[in-house]
Amino acid sequence: MSHEETTDYLVVGAGPAGLQAGYFLQQAGRSYLIVEAGAAPGTFFTRFPRHRTLISINKVHTGWDDPELNMRTDWNSLLSDEHTPLFTARTPRYFPAADEMVGYLADFAATHRLRIRYDTRITEISRPADGSADRPADGPGGGPSGPGDFLVRAADGTVFRARRLIVATGVTRPYIPAIDGVETVERYDEVDVDPAAFIGQRVLIIGRGNSAFETADNLIETAAVIHVAGPGSLKLAWQTHFVGHLRAVNNNFLDTYQLKSQNAVLDGNIQRIRLQPDGSYRVSVSFSRVREVVKDIVYDRVILATGFRFDASIFAPECRPELAINDRFPAQTDAWESTNVPGLHFAGTITQVRDFKKSTSGFIHGFRYGVRALHRILEARHHGRPWPARTLSATAGAVTDAVIARVNRSSALFQMFGFLADAVLVDRDGTARYCEEVPVDHLHTAVADGGFGDIGQYFTVTLEYGEGHDKVNPFDISAGRNSQQDTTGLDGRYLHPVVRAFDAAAPGKATAEHHITENLENEWDSEEVHRAPLRSFLRARLTDRDVAARP
């Protein structure tokens, strides 16, 4: 029999992002429920990656005893005030087995006693026009309920009524490019992973990401010929610093190509695929390096490994989110809210639309911090709890000390480089506040809207790679680098702190910026090289407030 349940926050999906959201909601004492189609958390990881090895690193031995610093090399653990459970306690493997993630997520959910309803497959999300206008406002400082509650229907007949929705379902449908004949080929999510099934065969893998090369590496010992094809230049994570590009753990295939072992990377577009009467495939490839040359190549098997996309089919027309980037992800504001459906927020890998192929929102070690920031946005917006802040003296000395302390241990700024910032807010009354881990775009919007109070100026503190960092081969010693003793504040190519100054009257338009020189071990603690130049930069901009600054 159908029945209705009401909650303020409904989280759809009990993967890592859904559990992380549930943890913060529980810590804040909010009314929430997580619904999950599977029988346990992390259903995705029971199937993917297909070859059962994660590419998220798990460095157990760091030499540090600071839990915050250790999260820089622990890409799988979720955040908690208790620092438990940690993924690093499960296995010493640097690239762990996917089944370890399944076990870890179950352990996290049980340890923190999160409210999760399993075996609950959502079939429709709607938002009737009459909504729930008579529902009371949120707690102290809360506002009206908005355009109406979401009605979320499950396959068992249950209807969940929620004021706000956090969708953390990930990317669950294959992304199928518009290739003539693509419907005849095998897909990454379905193809046989037993290399013995490919003995002596000619195989084409369409795609240029880790799933494509993971599949190719698996077939090196058995397939006669393997071609990996896709448009554009092949991007390697060790050069671009985007961990979603091809990782070294999956690039053994490149050796077999460059050392002439029958395999190849084809740079071009697949124009059409034709299934032949004998079961083989004739594939027309338009090569990028040779203008207007199209070659027909025959293969025994063709595998599509072009990634996944968000499934918006469960949303009724009145609350279906707009999509972006070839309809692969829901379009989102700087608060991870749907651009066209107020109250519909997103968490997890689908938030990568905000920093697509630039930072780390698509991965646990990135989006765990995004979920915490989303929670802080919701707390400020609906529950009257401003962004956590600590008071500082508005002097160059005090601000320098705060900045240096944070860049030397922060994991959030380290992982979400250029996307999350610490903010130093200087109020018009002369006091200063230090806020941690604010999304840069959201900070500028909130300053413009008065969300951070009556401030006169503010500073952002980020960790960033230098301009053009992805154009330089990091192993080419002929490409010069600035000395690590350089105090000019020039833009280094490697990850380094950047401090920018803004006038609150023109949010988002930097009036000045300072780059702290890069350091081999990411330790910015030299008085002469790191602190003094930053203090000088701040003193010149904290005018009329710095009488107490140290020389």
Side-chain angles (χ1 to χ4, degrees):
M1 294 179 62
S2 64
H3 67 285
E4 183 173 298
E5 299 183 26
T6 300
T7 186
D8 282 347
Y9 292 91
L10 187 71
V11 181
V12 182
L19 298 186
Q20 189 70 87
Y23 172 82
F24 289 122
L25 289 167
Q26 183 155 291
Q27 290 295 99
R30 303 301 168 205
S31 167
Y32 82 97
L33 178 67
I34 304 171
V35 291
E36 165 60 40
T43 303
F44 175 88
F45 292 98
T46 64
R47 292 192 63 211
F48 302 103
R50 294 297 311 282
H51 300 91
R52 310 309 295 146
T53 300
L54 301 176
I55 59 172
S56 48
I57 67 173
N58 177 60
K59 195 169 190 293
V60 176
H61 305 290
T62 64
W64 300 321
D65 56 10
D66 183 343
E68 175 72 11
L69 265 178
N70 281 331
M71 292 296 273
R72 289 185 175 184
T73 55
D74 174 356
W75 288 10
N76 301 288
S77 292
L78 299 182
L79 305 177
S80 69
D81 295 339
E82 303 83 0
H83 303 295
T84 187
L86 292 176
F87 191 95
T88 48
R90 295 190 64 87
T91 173
R93 294 295 300 273
Y94 191 74
F95 292 112
D99 288 340
E100 294 288 1
M101 178 59 73
V102 177
Y104 170 74
L105 295 176
D107 190 16
F108 187 91
T111 298
H112 298 291
R113 299 182 179 182
L114 302 182
R115 294 190 61 218
I116 307 173
R117 188 77 53 83
Y118 296 111
D119 297 312
T120 304
R121 184 172 61 86
I122 301 306
T123 58
E124 184 186 51
I125 298 173
S126 62
R127 198 178 209 177
D130 56 356
S132 57
D134 57 345
R135 282 191 66 182
D138 290 305
S145 59
D149 290 346
F150 293 95
L151 297 181
V152 181
R153 292 173 173 80
D156 65 3
T158 305
V159 176
F160 301 95
R161 179 181 290 270
R163 177 172 286 145
R164 293 173 201 99
L165 205 58
I166 299 176
V167 174
T169 53
V171 284
T172 56
R173 285 195 169 187
Y175 172 67
I176 310 297
I179 300 173
D180 184 13
V182 73
E183 70 282 355
T184 64
V185 309
E186 300 173 89
R187 298 198 318 246
Y188 168 79
D189 59 319
E190 299 174 337
V191 69
D192 193 337
V193 296
D194 182 1
F198 295 81
I199 291 176
Q201 295 185 342
R202 295 173 56 85
V203 182
L204 171 66
I205 302 170
I206 302 174
R208 301 288 285 276
N210 282 290
S211 61
F213 281 91
E214 164 199 324
T215 302
D217 277 355
N218 186 52
L219 302 180
I220 285 174
E221 294 180 350
T222 57
V225 172
I226 308 169
H227 289 173
V228 175
S233 300
L234 181 63
K235 296 183 182 299
L236 304 171
W238 53 258
Q239 181 166 348
T240 67
H241 301 115
F242 173 65
V243 300
H245 285 148
L246 180 58
R247 302 286 297 284
V249 70
N250 285 328
N251 73 13
N252 183 51
F253 178 82
L254 297 182
D255 266 9
T256 72
Y257 169 40
Q258 294 295 343
L259 300 178
K260 305 302 181 185
S261 300
Q262 293 186 275
N263 301 328
V265 175
L266 308 184
D267 303 310
N269 292 289
I270 306 300
Q271 289 192 341
R272 58 186 168 273
I273 303 168
R274 289 290 179 263
L275 180 61
Q276 305 299 297
D278 64 355
S280 65
Y281 293 87
R282 182 172 294 275
V283 180
S284 300
V285 182
S286 173
F287 287 89
S288 300
R289 294 176 187 259
V290 185
R291 185 172 298 177
E292 298 180 358
V293 169
V294 177
K295 182 177 177 63
D296 284 352
I297 308 175
V298 175
Y299 299 97
D300 299 300
R301 307 277 286 272
V302 178
I303 302 169
L304 191 68
T306 49
F308 295 84
R309 66 179 179 86
F310 174 70
D311 182 7
S313 64
I314 60 173
F315 289 89
E318 73 275 5
C319 65
R320 182 167 296 154
E322 295 175 341
L323 301 179
I325 309 181
N326 296 324
D327 291 342
R328 292 182 64 182
F329 307 103
Q332 297 162 49
T333 70
D334 57 72
W336 292 287
E337 187 172 23
S338 169
T339 55
N340 65 309
V341 184
L344 172 60
H345 293 268
F346 303 96
T349 190
I350 51 179
T351 62
Q352 64 184 280
V353 71
R354 296 289 307 165
D355 59 346
F356 190 58
K357 296 187 178 181
K358 294 179 180 177
S359 194
T360 60
S361 288
F363 311 91
I364 293 174
H365 64 291
F367 67 61
R368 62 191 177 193
Y369 300 106
V371 175
R372 179 156 67 187
L374 169 61
H375 177 70
R376 289 170 172 171
I377 290 170
L378 294 173
E379 287 289 298
R381 182 180 293 182
H382 303 297
H383 305 288
R385 296 182 61 180
W387 200 282
R390 64 182 184 275
T391 301
L392 289 179
S393 171
T395 64
V399 175
T400 295
D401 288 345
V403 169
I404 292 296
R406 278 287 292 165
V407 297
N408 276 303
R409 68 182 298 262
S410 168
S411 176
L413 301 186
F414 189 88
Q415 307 289 22
M416 296 281 274
F417 48 89
F419 186 84
L420 291 183
D422 282 3
V424 180
L425 311 174
V426 183
D427 296 328
R428 295 187 186 279
D429 65 4
T431 60
R433 291 170 289 144
Y434 196 102
C435 299
E436 298 179 359
E437 303 169 20
V438 189
V440 173
D441 289 346
H442 177 72
L443 172 65
H444 297 319
T445 299
V447 168
D449 294 341
F452 280 99
D454 186 22
I455 65 176
Q457 63 179 153
Y458 64 103
F459 299 84
T460 60
V461 182
T462 54
L463 287 172
E464 300 178 19
Y465 291 96
E467 184 177 358
H469 67 91
D470 56 340
K471 308 300 181 186
V472 178
N473 182 344
F475 303 114
D476 179 3
I477 63 170
S478 67
R481 301 175 74 162
N482 292 335
S483 165
Q484 293 189 32
Q485 301 303 309
D486 191 317
T487 61
T488 61
L490 295 176
D491 186 5
R493 289 196 183 102
Y494 186 63
L495 195 70
H496 63 282
V498 183
V499 180
R500 293 184 175 89
F502 298 86
D503 189 325
K509 298 180 180 179
T511 58
E513 67 180 57
H514 175 74
H515 293 253
I516 300 177
T517 188
E518 63 186 58
N519 179 270
L520 176 63
E521 298 186 273
N522 302 312
E523 295 175 352
W524 298 280
D525 53 8
S526 163
E527 170 61 28
E528 179 183 356
V529 176
H530 304 124
R531 291 178 178 272
L534 175 59
R535 196 158 51 239
S536 177
F537 169 82
L538 291 168
R539 183 180 294 117
R541 282 146 191 92
L542 287 167
T543 54
D544 302 324
R545 306 182 193 279
D546 201 25
V547 293
R550 294 179 297 187

